[in-house]
Amino acid sequence: ESSSEAVNCYYGAYLWAKIRWKDGGLEHSKVDFARLLLATEITGAKTYWHMTTNSTQPAHESDGITDGITDGNLIPTPYSLKFRQNLMVGNLGMSDVVVETWFGTESIYVHMINFLPVTSISAALFDKSFVEEERRLIGEAGLVEDAWRGYDICNHAISDPNEAWLEAQGLSSL
């Protein structure tokens, strides 16, 4: 239910491998392997969990071969434009994909559960342009509940750290 949890698992493995095999040598290949796992997970999350509306399908009829391959991007877009307007998958199963979580259907729930935990790898997982589009969508849905406000501000820091810092000054503990 959280693409960021999986990414952070591999990020942790990468950091541990860097410390464990910092001297290099033949064992350094384990660091490279952990980095490969991390990169693969980030690519998978950006392909199957994070969606953008600006990477639209070609306007022409499908030819069955180049579906979802647009603007020179060789990674296919697996979802229709209507579904991609949600920007984030909530749950991805063997045979289903939904835009909801086990605890609710609000956009903020779907987006923030996929943002947790907030770590230094978060900015690699969430591109600035994605965060800007995501914040627009969340803003259109209404006010962010207090329980999610801090996470929303952390997310905002990826696209505009100075503005996010000003927002953070208004946070209060409940």
Coordinates of all heavy atoms in Angstrom, one line a residue, residues 86-156:
N86 N -5.9 10.8 -11.1 CA -5.8 10.7 -9.6 C -4.3 10.8 -9.2 O -4.1 11.0 -8.0 CB -6.3 9.3 -9.2 CG -7.7 9.1 -9.5 OD1 -8.6 9.8 -9.0 ND2 -8.0 8.2 -10.4
L87 N -3.4 10.7 -10.1 CA -1.9 10.8 -9.9 C -1.3 9.8 -9.0 O -0.1 9.6 -9.1 CB -1.6 12.2 -9.3 CG -2.0 13.4 -10.1 CD1 -1.6 14.7 -9.4 CD2 -1.5 13.4 -11.5
M88 N -2.0 9.0 -8.2 CA -1.4 8.0 -7.4 C -2.3 6.8 -7.2 O -3.5 6.9 -7.0 CB -1.2 8.7 -6.0 CG -0.5 7.8 -5.0 SD 1.3 7.6 -5.2 CE 1.8 9.3 -4.8
V89 N -1.7 5.6 -7.3 CA -2.4 4.4 -7.0 C -2.4 4.2 -5.5 O -1.5 4.5 -4.8 CB -1.6 3.2 -7.6 CG1 -2.1 1.9 -7.1 CG2 -1.7 3.3 -9.1
G90 N -3.6 3.8 -5.0 CA -3.7 3.5 -3.5 C -3.4 2.1 -3.2 O -2.6 1.9 -2.2
N91 N -3.9 1.2 -3.9 CA -3.5 -0.3 -3.7 C -3.3 -0.9 -5.1 O -4.1 -0.7 -6.0 CB -4.6 -1.0 -3.0 CG -4.5 -0.8 -1.5 OD1 -3.5 -1.1 -0.9 ND2 -5.6 -0.3 -0.9
L92 N -2.3 -1.7 -5.1 CA -1.9 -2.4 -6.4 C -1.9 -3.9 -6.0 O -1.0 -4.3 -5.2 CB -0.6 -1.9 -6.9 CG 0.0 -2.5 -8.1 CD1 -0.9 -2.3 -9.3 CD2 1.4 -1.9 -8.4
G93 N -2.8 -4.7 -6.6 CA -2.8 -6.1 -6.3 C -2.4 -6.9 -7.5 O -2.1 -6.4 -8.6
M94 N -2.6 -8.2 -7.4 CA -2.3 -9.1 -8.6 C -3.1 -8.7 -9.8 O -2.7 -8.7 -10.9 CB -2.4 -10.5 -8.2 CG -1.3 -11.1 -7.3 SD -1.5 -12.8 -7.0 CE -1.3 -13.5 -8.6
S95 N -4.4 -8.5 -9.5 CA -5.3 -8.3 -10.7 C -6.2 -7.0 -10.5 O -7.1 -6.9 -11.3 CB -6.2 -9.5 -10.9 OG -7.0 -9.6 -9.7
D96 N -5.8 -6.1 -9.6 CA -6.6 -4.9 -9.5 C -5.7 -3.7 -9.0 O -4.7 -3.9 -8.4 CB -7.8 -5.1 -8.5 CG -7.3 -5.3 -7.1 OD1 -6.2 -5.8 -6.9 OD2 -8.0 -4.9 -6.1
V97 N -6.2 -2.6 -9.4 CA -5.5 -1.3 -9.1 C -6.6 -0.4 -8.7 O -7.6 -0.2 -9.4 CB -4.7 -0.7 -10.3 CG1 -4.1 0.6 -9.9 CG2 -3.7 -1.7 -10.8
V98 N -6.5 0.2 -7.5 CA -7.5 1.2 -7.0 C -6.9 2.4 -6.5 O -5.7 2.5 -6.2 CB -8.4 0.5 -5.9 CG1 -9.2 -0.6 -6.5 CG2 -7.6 0.1 -4.8
V99 N -7.7 3.5 -6.4 CA -7.3 4.8 -5.9 C -8.0 4.9 -4.6 O -8.8 5.8 -4.4 CB -7.6 5.9 -6.9 CG1 -7.1 7.2 -6.4 CG2 -7.1 5.6 -8.3
E100 N -7.6 4.1 -3.6 CA -8.1 4.2 -2.3 C -7.1 3.5 -1.3 O -6.3 2.7 -1.8 CB -9.5 3.7 -2.1 CG -9.6 2.2 -2.6 CD -11.0 1.7 -2.6 OE1 -11.9 2.4 -3.2 OE2 -11.3 0.6 -2.2
T101 N -7.3 3.7 -0.1 CA -6.5 2.9 0.9 C -7.4 2.1 1.7 O -8.6 2.2 1.6 CB -5.7 3.9 1.9 OG1 -6.7 4.5 2.7 CG2 -4.9 4.9 1.1
W102 N -6.9 1.2 2.6 CA -7.7 0.4 3.4 C -8.5 1.2 4.5 O -9.5 0.8 5.0 CB -6.9 -0.7 4.1 CG -5.8 -0.2 5.0 CD1 -4.5 0.0 4.7 CD2 -6.0 0.1 6.4 NE1 -3.8 0.5 5.7 CE2 -4.7 0.6 6.8 CE3 -7.0 0.1 7.3 CZ2 -4.4 1.0 8.1 CZ3 -6.7 0.5 8.6 CH2 -5.5 0.9 9.0
F103 N -8.0 2.5 4.7 CA -8.7 3.3 5.7 C -9.4 4.5 5.1 O -10.0 5.3 5.9 CB -7.7 3.8 6.8 CG -6.5 4.5 6.2 CD1 -6.5 5.9 6.0 CD2 -5.3 3.8 5.9 CE1 -5.4 6.6 5.5 CE2 -4.2 4.5 5.4 CZ -4.3 5.9 5.2
G104 N -9.5 4.7 3.8 CA -10.3 5.7 3.3 C -10.0 6.0 1.8 O -9.1 5.4 1.2
T105 N -10.8 6.8 1.2 CA -10.8 7.1 -0.2 C -10.3 8.5 -0.5 O -10.2 8.9 -1.7 CB -12.1 6.9 -0.9 OG1 -13.1 7.7 -0.3 CG2 -12.5 5.4 -0.8
E106 N -10.1 9.4 0.5 CA -9.7 10.7 0.2 C -8.3 10.8 -0.5 O -7.4 10.0 -0.2 CB -9.7 11.5 1.5 CG -11.0 11.6 2.3 CD -12.0 12.4 1.5 OE1 -11.7 13.4 0.9 OE2 -13.2 12.0 1.6
S107 N -8.2 11.8 -1.4 CA -6.9 11.9 -2.1 C -5.7 12.1 -1.1 O -4.7 11.5 -1.4 CB -6.9 13.2 -3.0 OG -7.8 13.0 -4.0
I108 N -5.9 12.8 -0.1 CA -4.8 13.0 0.9 C -4.3 11.7 1.5 O -3.1 11.5 1.7 CB -5.2 14.1 2.0 CG1 -3.9 14.5 2.8 CG2 -6.3 13.5 2.9 CD1 -3.0 15.4 2.1
Y109 N -5.2 10.8 1.8 CA -4.8 9.5 2.3 C -4.0 8.7 1.3 O -2.9 8.2 1.7 CB -6.1 8.7 2.7 CG -7.0 9.3 3.7 CD1 -8.3 8.9 3.7 CD2 -6.6 10.3 4.6 CE1 -9.2 9.4 4.6 CE2 -7.5 10.8 5.5 CZ -8.8 10.4 5.5 OH -9.7 11.0 6.4
V110 N -4.4 8.7 0.1 CA -3.7 7.9 -0.9 C -2.3 8.5 -1.2 O -1.4 7.8 -1.2 CB -4.5 7.9 -2.3 CG1 -3.7 7.3 -3.4 CG2 -5.9 7.1 -2.0
H111 N -2.3 9.8 -1.2 CA -1.0 10.4 -1.5 C 0.0 10.4 -0.4 O 1.2 10.1 -0.5 CB -1.2 11.9 -2.0 CG -1.8 11.9 -3.4 ND1 -1.0 12.0 -4.5 CD2 -3.1 11.8 -3.8 CE1 -1.8 12.0 -5.6 NE2 -3.0 11.9 -5.2
M112 N -0.5 10.7 0.8 CA 0.4 10.7 2.0 C 0.9 9.3 2.4 O 2.0 9.2 2.9 CB -0.2 11.5 3.1 CG -0.3 13.0 2.8 SD 1.3 13.8 2.4 CE 1.1 14.1 0.6
I113 N 0.0 8.3 2.3 CA 0.5 7.0 2.7 C 1.6 6.5 1.8 O 2.5 5.8 2.2 CB -0.7 6.0 2.8 CG1 -0.3 4.8 3.6 CG2 -1.1 5.5 1.4 CD1 -0.1 5.0 5.1
N114 N 1.6 7.0 0.6 CA 2.6 6.7 -0.4 C 3.8 7.6 -0.2 O 4.9 7.4 -0.9 CB 2.1 6.8 -1.8 CG 1.5 5.5 -2.3 OD1 2.1 4.5 -2.5 ND2 0.1 5.5 -2.3
F115 N 3.8 8.6 0.6 CA 4.9 9.5 0.9 C 5.7 9.1 2.1 O 6.8 9.4 2.2 CB 4.3 10.9 1.0 CG 5.4 12.0 1.1 CD1 6.2 12.2 0.1 CD2 5.5 12.7 2.3 CE1 7.2 13.2 0.2 CE2 6.5 13.7 2.4 CZ 7.3 13.9 1.3
L116 N 5.0 8.4 3.0 CA 5.7 7.9 4.3 C 6.6 6.8 4.0 O 6.3 5.9 3.3 CB 4.6 7.6 5.3 CG 3.7 8.7 5.7 CD1 2.6 8.1 6.6 CD2 4.4 9.8 6.4
P117 N 7.7 6.6 4.7 CA 8.3 7.6 5.6 C 9.0 8.7 4.9 O 9.4 8.5 3.7 CB 9.3 6.8 6.4 CG 9.7 5.7 5.5 CD 8.5 5.4 4.6
V118 N 9.2 9.8 5.5 CA 9.9 10.9 4.9 C 11.4 10.8 5.2 O 11.8 10.8 6.4 CB 9.4 12.3 5.4 CG1 10.2 13.4 4.7 CG2 7.9 12.4 5.1
T119 N 12.2 10.5 4.2 CA 13.7 10.4 4.4 C 14.4 11.1 3.3 O 13.8 11.7 2.4 CB 14.1 8.9 4.4 OG1 13.8 8.4 3.1 CG2 13.3 8.0 5.4
S120 N 15.7 11.0 3.3 CA 16.5 11.7 2.3 C 16.3 11.2 0.9 O 16.6 11.8 -0.1 CB 18.0 11.7 2.7 OG 18.4 10.4 2.8
I121 N 15.7 10.0 0.7 CA 15.5 9.4 -0.6 C 14.1 9.9 -1.2 O 13.9 9.8 -2.4 CB 15.6 7.9 -0.6 CG1 15.8 7.3 -2.0 CG2 14.3 7.3 0.1 CD1 17.1 7.6 -2.6
S122 N 13.3 10.5 -0.3 CA 12.0 11.0 -0.8 C 12.1 11.9 -2.0 O 11.2 11.8 -2.9 CB 11.2 11.7 0.3 OG 11.0 10.8 1.4
A123 N 13.0 12.8 -2.1 CA 13.1 13.7 -3.2 C 13.5 13.0 -4.5 O 13.2 13.5 -5.6 CB 14.2 14.8 -2.9
A124 N 14.2 11.8 -4.4 CA 14.5 11.0 -5.6 C 13.2 10.3 -6.1 O 13.0 10.1 -7.3 CB 15.6 10.1 -5.3
L125 N 12.4 9.9 -5.1 CA 11.2 9.2 -5.5 C 10.1 10.1 -6.0 O 9.3 9.7 -6.9 CB 10.6 8.4 -4.2 CG 9.4 7.6 -4.4 CD1 9.5 6.6 -5.4 CD2 9.0 7.0 -3.0
F126 N 10.0 11.3 -5.5 CA 9.0 12.2 -5.9 C 9.6 13.4 -6.6 O 10.2 14.2 -6.0 CB 8.2 12.7 -4.7 CG 7.4 11.6 -4.0 CD1 8.0 10.9 -3.0 CD2 6.1 11.3 -4.5 CE1 7.3 9.9 -2.4 CE2 5.4 10.3 -3.9 CZ 6.0 9.6 -2.8
D127 N 9.5 13.5 -8.0 CA 10.0 14.6 -8.7 C 9.3 15.9 -8.4 O 8.1 15.9 -8.0 CB 9.8 14.3 -10.2 CG 10.5 13.1 -10.7 OD1 11.6 12.7 -10.2 OD2 10.0 12.5 -11.7
K128 N 10.0 17.0 -8.6 CA 9.5 18.3 -8.3 C 8.2 18.5 -9.1 O 7.2 19.0 -8.5 CB 10.5 19.3 -8.6 CG 10.1 20.7 -8.3 CD 11.1 21.8 -8.6 CE 10.7 23.2 -8.4 NZ 11.7 24.2 -8.7
S129 N 8.2 18.2 -10.4 CA 7.0 18.4 -11.2 C 5.8 17.5 -10.7 O 4.7 18.0 -10.7 CB 7.3 18.1 -12.7 OG 7.7 16.8 -12.9
F130 N 6.1 16.3 -10.3 CA 5.0 15.4 -9.8 C 4.4 16.0 -8.5 O 3.2 16.1 -8.3 CB 5.6 14.0 -9.5 CG 4.5 13.1 -8.9 CD1 3.6 12.5 -9.7 CD2 4.4 12.9 -7.5 CE1 2.6 11.7 -9.2 CE2 3.4 12.1 -7.0 CZ 2.5 11.5 -7.9
V131 N 5.3 16.5 -7.6 CA 4.8 17.1 -6.3 C 4.0 18.3 -6.6 O 2.9 18.5 -6.0 CB 6.0 17.5 -5.4 CG1 5.6 18.3 -4.2 CG2 6.7 16.2 -4.9
E132 N 4.4 19.1 -7.6 CA 3.6 20.3 -7.9 C 2.2 19.9 -8.4 O 1.2 20.5 -8.0 CB 4.3 21.2 -8.9 CG 5.5 21.9 -8.4 CD 6.4 22.5 -9.4 OE1 6.2 22.3 -10.6 OE2 7.3 23.2 -9.0
E133 N 2.1 18.9 -9.3 CA 0.8 18.5 -9.8 C 0.0 17.8 -8.6 O -1.2 18.0 -8.5 CB 1.1 17.5 -10.9 CG -0.2 17.2 -11.7 CD 0.1 16.4 -13.0 OE1 1.3 16.1 -13.3 OE2 -0.9 16.2 -13.7
E134 N 0.7 17.1 -7.8 CA 0.0 16.4 -6.7 C -0.6 17.4 -5.7 O -1.7 17.2 -5.3 CB 1.1 15.5 -6.0 CG 0.6 14.8 -4.8 CD 1.7 14.0 -4.2 OE1 2.8 14.5 -3.9 OE2 1.5 12.8 -3.9
R135 N 0.2 18.4 -5.4 CA -0.3 19.5 -4.5 C -1.5 20.2 -5.1 O -2.4 20.6 -4.3 CB 0.8 20.4 -4.1 CG 1.8 19.8 -3.2 CD 2.8 20.7 -2.6 NE 2.2 21.9 -2.0 CZ 1.7 22.0 -0.8 NH1 1.6 20.9 -0.1 NH2 1.2 23.2 -0.4
R136 N -1.5 20.4 -6.4 CA -2.7 21.0 -7.0 C -3.9 20.1 -6.8 O -5.0 20.6 -6.4 CB -2.4 21.2 -8.5 CG -3.6 21.8 -9.3 CD -3.5 21.7 -10.8 NE -3.2 20.3 -11.2 CZ -4.0 19.3 -11.3 NH1 -5.3 19.4 -10.9 NH2 -3.7 18.1 -11.8
L137 N -3.8 18.8 -7.0 CA -4.9 17.9 -6.9 C -5.4 17.8 -5.4 O -6.6 17.9 -5.2 CB -4.4 16.5 -7.4 CG -5.5 15.4 -7.2 CD1 -6.5 15.5 -8.3 CD2 -4.9 14.0 -7.2
I138 N -4.4 17.7 -4.5 CA -4.8 17.7 -3.1 C -5.5 19.0 -2.7 O -6.5 19.0 -2.0 CB -3.6 17.4 -2.2 CG1 -3.1 15.9 -2.5 CG2 -3.9 17.6 -0.7 CD1 -1.8 15.6 -1.8
G139 N -5.0 20.1 -3.2 CA -5.6 21.4 -2.9 C -7.0 21.5 -3.4 O -7.9 22.1 -2.7
E140 N -7.3 20.9 -4.6 CA -8.6 21.0 -5.1 C -9.6 20.1 -4.3 O -10.8 20.4 -4.3 CB -8.6 20.5 -6.6 CG -7.9 21.4 -7.6 CD -7.8 20.8 -8.9 OE1 -8.1 19.7 -9.2 OE2 -7.2 21.6 -9.8
A141 N -9.1 19.1 -3.6 CA -9.9 18.3 -2.8 C -10.4 18.9 -1.5 O -11.3 18.4 -0.9 CB -9.2 16.9 -2.5
G142 N -9.7 20.0 -1.1 CA -10.1 20.7 0.1 C -9.0 20.8 1.1 O -7.8 20.5 0.8
L143 N -9.3 21.2 2.3 CA -8.3 21.4 3.3 C -7.7 20.1 3.7 O -8.3 19.0 3.8 CB -8.9 22.1 4.5 CG -9.4 23.5 4.4 CD1 -10.1 24.0 5.6 CD2 -8.2 24.4 4.0
V144 N -6.4 20.2 4.1 CA -5.7 19.0 4.5 C -5.9 18.8 6.0 O -5.8 19.8 6.8 CB -4.1 19.1 4.2 CG1 -3.4 18.0 4.9 CG2 -3.9 19.2 2.8
E145 N -6.3 17.7 6.4 CA -6.6 17.4 7.9 C -5.3 17.6 8.7 O -4.2 17.4 8.2 CB -7.0 15.9 8.0 CG -8.3 15.6 7.4 CD -8.6 14.1 7.4 OE1 -8.1 13.4 8.3 OE2 -9.3 13.6 6.5
D146 N -5.4 18.1 9.9 CA -4.3 18.4 10.7 C -3.3 17.2 10.9 O -2.1 17.3 10.9 CB -4.7 18.8 12.1 CG -5.3 20.2 12.1 OD1 -5.0 21.0 11.2 OD2 -6.0 20.6 13.1
A147 N -3.9 16.0 10.9 CA -3.0 14.8 11.1 C -2.1 14.6 9.9 O -1.0 14.0 10.1 CB -3.9 13.5 11.3
W148 N -2.4 15.1 8.8 CA -1.6 14.9 7.6 C -0.8 16.2 7.2 O 0.0 16.2 6.3 CB -2.5 14.5 6.4 CG -3.1 13.1 6.6 CD1 -4.4 12.9 7.0 CD2 -2.5 11.9 6.5 NE1 -4.6 11.6 7.1 CE2 -3.4 10.9 6.8 CE3 -1.2 11.5 6.1 CZ2 -3.1 9.5 6.7 CZ3 -0.9 10.1 6.0 CH2 -1.9 9.2 6.4
R149 N -1.1 17.3 7.9 CA -0.5 18.6 7.5 C 1.0 18.6 7.5 O 1.6 19.1 6.6 CB -1.1 19.6 8.5 CG -0.8 21.0 8.1 CD -1.9 21.5 7.2 NE -1.5 22.9 6.9 CZ -1.0 23.2 5.7 NH1 -0.9 22.3 4.7 NH2 -0.6 24.4 5.4
G150 N 1.6 18.0 8.5 CA 3.1 18.0 8.5 C 3.7 17.2 7.3 O 4.7 17.7 6.7
Y151 N 3.1 16.1 7.0 CA 3.6 15.3 5.9 C 3.3 16.1 4.5 O 4.2 16.0 3.6 CB 2.9 14.0 5.8 CG 3.1 13.2 7.0 CD1 2.0 12.9 7.9 CD2 4.4 12.7 7.4 CE1 2.3 12.1 9.1 CE2 4.6 12.0 8.5 CZ 3.5 11.7 9.4 OH 3.7 11.0 10.5
D152 N 2.2 16.8 4.4 CA 1.9 17.6 3.3 C 3.0 18.7 3.1 O 3.4 18.9 2.0 CB 0.5 18.1 3.3 CG 0.1 18.9 2.1 OD1 0.3 18.4 1.0 OD2 -0.3 20.1 2.2
I153 N 3.4 19.3 4.2 CA 4.4 20.3 4.1 C 5.8 19.7 3.8 O 6.5 20.3 3.0 CB 4.5 21.1 5.5 CG1 3.2 21.9 5.6 CG2 5.7 22.0 5.5 CD1 3.0 22.5 7.0
C154 N 6.1 18.5 4.3 CA 7.3 17.9 3.9 C 7.3 17.6 2.4 O 8.3 17.8 1.7 CB 7.5 16.6 4.7 SG 7.9 16.8 6.4
N155 N 6.2 17.2 1.9 CA 6.0 16.9 0.5 C 6.3 18.2 -0.3 O 7.0 18.2 -1.3 CB 4.7 16.3 0.2 CG 4.5 15.8 -1.2 OD1 5.4 15.5 -1.9 ND2 3.2 15.6 -1.6
H156 N 5.7 19.3 0.2 CA 5.8 20.6 -0.5 C 7.3 21.0 -0.5 O 7.7 21.7 -1.5 CB 5.0 21.6 0.3 CG 4.9 23.0 -0.4 ND1 4.4 24.1 0.2 CD2 5.2 23.4 -1.7 CE1 4.4 25.1 -0.6 NE2 4.9 24.7 -1.8

